[in-house]
Amino acid sequence: MRKPIFILLFVLFAVSQGTQAHTTFRTEPLPEKTPQEIINDYIDAIGGKQKIAAVKTIILVMEAEIQGMKIEIDTNRDMEGLRLMQQMVVDGNVMQKTVVKDNEGYMSMMGQVKTLSEDELATLKTNIYAFPEMHYGDMGFSVTRGENTTINGEEAYTLLVTNSAGLESKEYFSIASGLKLKMVAEVAGDIIFDDYEEVEGIMFPMKVTISNPMLPVPMETRVVSIQVNEPLDNSLFE
């Protein structure tokens, strides 16, 4: 199974991560904050550390359409058991499935099954967490400040993030609201988070748009359903 398949897989996981903030025009100097303070503001903005720490499972269903093809992305996260299952359904047929559990994982695509390499597993294990920002330190991520910028008219802090597998990304957080506006990574492409709504006291992006060289056009995905702390069938992770 070639590298592009793993890139597509990474793109799909990026879709299922977690807003749109109102544009403000600032006259006073911008506050200077450390990377951890910016992450703390984000955690507070989406619901707070206590609320997020209480989330043990999430079932997320998103839909998209590309060139007439209907795509459904189903993601099941078990943060307590460190398990993850995601599948992509195209026009009613399962085209791709990925499972991570017990520090092992595999991905299947169109009948081909591949055991995840150590680097691939390290990357995808990050996605077990619906809110990985809370765990950057524990996972050995390096996080530094970049230059402030503007995202769709919104002033934003820039964080430069390097994960344990050496993959780098830029993450942009609204200075006004603390919410994440965008992520840019070489593998995943440009990801914009919009239209957040509150579910069980936590803000989730209801629309995620991805621009990536592997995609013929930007892919706009929308949330169909989110279930928090629902029991997960063990058969999902087989």
Side-chain angles (χ1 to χ4, degrees):
M1 197 170 293
R2 295 176 299 175
K3 185 178 179 181
I5 293 179
F6 180 70
I7 293 176
L8 174 60
L9 174 66
F10 192 87
V11 169
L12 293 175
F13 276 112
V15 169
S16 64
Q17 293 285 353
T19 174
Q20 179 172 319
H22 298 290
T23 301
T24 58
F25 296 94
R26 185 183 300 276
T27 56
E28 68 273 15
L30 296 177
E32 286 302 318
K33 295 189 176 183
T34 66
Q36 189 57 55
E37 288 174 331
I38 294 170
I39 290 174
N40 290 344
D41 287 347
Y42 166 69
I43 296 301
D44 289 340
I46 62 174
K49 187 174 181 179
Q50 184 175 356
K51 178 72 71 173
I52 293 170
V55 176
K56 305 304 180 185
T57 67
I58 286 183
I59 303 171
L60 174 67
V61 179
M62 304 187 77
E63 287 185 346
E65 185 171 325
I66 295 182
Q67 296 182 331
M69 293 188 302
K70 293 184 178 180
I71 300 173
E72 181 178 290
I73 303 167
D74 303 328
T75 305
N76 291 260
R77 288 185 170 91
D78 176 7
M79 276 76 80
E80 199 166 39
L82 297 179
R83 300 183 299 174
L84 174 71
M85 190 283 285
Q86 185 182 72
Q87 65 179 15
M88 179 177 65
V89 180
V90 180
D91 289 336
N93 300 308
V94 177
M95 299 298 291
Q96 172 272 326
K97 180 179 179 180
T98 302
V99 173
V100 176
K101 70 170 184 176
D102 299 331
N103 292 314
E104 297 179 342
Y106 72 87
M107 55 180 166
S108 63
M109 192 166 189
M110 295 181 291
Q112 295 181 312
V113 180
K114 177 186 181 297
T115 300
L116 295 176
S117 70
E118 199 170 311
D119 286 346
E120 291 169 344
L121 186 61
T123 299
L124 294 183
K125 283 172 67 176
T126 303
N127 293 282
I128 290 175
Y129 299 106
F131 312 99
E133 296 83 4
M134 273 187 60
H135 306 278
Y136 280 172
D138 298 335
M139 294 187 293
F141 282 26
S142 168
V143 185
T144 58
R145 277 286 303 273
E147 294 184 1
N148 294 347
T149 188
T150 301
I151 304 295
N152 294 333
E154 182 79 11
E155 293 176 309
Y157 293 117
T158 303
L159 292 186
L160 310 176
V161 182
T162 304
N163 72 10
S164 57
L167 292 177
E168 299 178 349
S169 64
K170 292 182 180 180
E171 302 185 3
Y172 302 92
F173 298 83
S174 167
I175 291 174
S177 69
L179 296 166
K180 181 179 283 190
L181 304 175
K182 184 178 180 180
M183 182 178 83
V184 177
E186 182 179 354
V187 175
D190 291 12
I191 305 167
I192 297 176
F193 304 94
D194 277 315
D195 299 347
Y196 262 53
E197 294 181 10
E198 185 178 318
V199 179
E200 301 290 339
I202 299 173
M203 300 293 286
F204 289 89
M206 295 294 123
K207 183 176 80 169
V208 180
T209 305
I210 292 188
S211 299
N212 184 283
M214 284 196 65
L215 302 172
V217 294
M219 182 171 70
E220 180 182 299
T221 66
R222 289 194 173 271
V223 170
V224 176
S225 66
I226 299 175
Q227 298 179 65
V228 177
N229 288 335
E230 290 294 320
L232 299 178
D233 190 330
N234 289 330
S235 66
L236 292 170
F237 304 95
E238 298 300 327

